[in-house]
Amino acid sequence: MALIAVLPGDGIGPEVTAEAVRVLDALDLDLTFAHAPAGGAAYLAAAHPLPPETLALAQRADAVLFGAVGAPEYDGLERELRPEQAILGLRKRLKLFANLRPVRLFPGLEDASALKPDIARAIDLLIVRELTGDIYFGEHSRGRTPDGLRYGRDVMQYDEAEIARIARIAFAAAAGRRGQLLSVDKANVLETSAVWREVVNEVRRDFPGVQLTHMYVDNAAMQLVRDPGQFDVIVCGNLFGDILSDQASMCAGSIGMLPSAALDEDGKGLFEPIHGSAPDIAGQGKANPCAAILSAAMLLRHSLRLPEPADRIEAAVAAAIAGGARTADLGGTCSTQAMGDAVLAAL
Ligand code: NAD
């Protein structure tokens, strides 16, 4: 029996998470679900976005299914009480250093992409982003120069252990896909990137079946819109991954279709749609639950090591889309629940 911590969060989080739980439930996998508040909902209930009980449940569980957090009414709170601290706190406390974002275009959704249909159709890639290091976690400061000018300073740093462990995740992922890994850096300018490239080359020796190439991040950004079909797995540091993964997701159509995983050293993880709480459509039954449902599939594959039911969920989403089921973001009229019904019917 596996324990799944379900943290629905705010806005459309509870709506899409409910559909993902319905799909997991339908698979008869001996899963137990335990719900707890996170984000603004937790602030209202317990005066903190990540209450100790919620954190303890996430630590105890085999995996975490997360919805989304945030709403305009919390914008005035001090930083450490804002809903977003729930997800940042979970990443830190659960040591979730590897972010996996698969990006593929489901047949039938070509028109939803920002790219030409022929180019969009070829997208099937996985971005592996390091999540707990880089310039976001280096020293931050601001001050004044001797001339009295204001300056800001952020330190970019990776050590070889941090690089090697994310590289291993990416090589292993590539070995299980089409065997191609692209490492993205800015080694022509940054020392951090030069070390990154060295270490990735060293890790390559343990994965002889994977073909490794390197690309500067500016070129990678260009290639992602020019010909995204050339990529299989892309590995990058936190900053470059943040930018490239958002860019890649828009190439694949609606934000409502894209899942993600954040994993620790043992493969335990937190699984969530890449979208936020969408306050503009919350409570209206309009949200697309596919990203949450596909996040549940990733949970089965990565944390519970159940690839077959994960494949079944992904195939059911593809079949529902191919059968014409569409929420409003995809140009259709299905409600959140009707979209969940279509996936369940295909399952
Ligand atoms: P958002 O992703 O919530 O919404 C962006 C746009 O996409 C909106 O128009 C929304 O209606 C639409 N959209 C998003 N998900 C959809 C879905 N499943 N189906 C249909 N349409 C969907 O981003 P935002 O508006 O910038 O942020 C809203 C709130 O979410 C903010 O408080 C932000 O901080 C938070 N946020 C949270 C997370 C997270 O919990 N991991 C991630 C991003 C943003």
Side-chain angles (χ1 to χ4, degrees), residues 239-265:
L239 173 64
F240 299 154
D242 192 0
I243 299 165
L244 290 183
S245 56
D246 270 21
Q247 186 191 345
S249 61
M250 273 331 285
C251 298
S254 172
I255 195 168
M257 293 301 300
L258 294 163
S260 77
L263 306 176
D264 72 4
E265 298 261 16

Side-chain angles (χ1 to χ4, degrees), residues 87-101:
I87 186 72
L88 297 176
L90 284 165
R91 282 179 189 164
K92 192 165 152 197
R93 301 298 294 272
L94 301 182
K95 299 191 172 63
L96 305 173
F97 71 94
N99 186 213
L100 271 52
R101 244 190 218 198

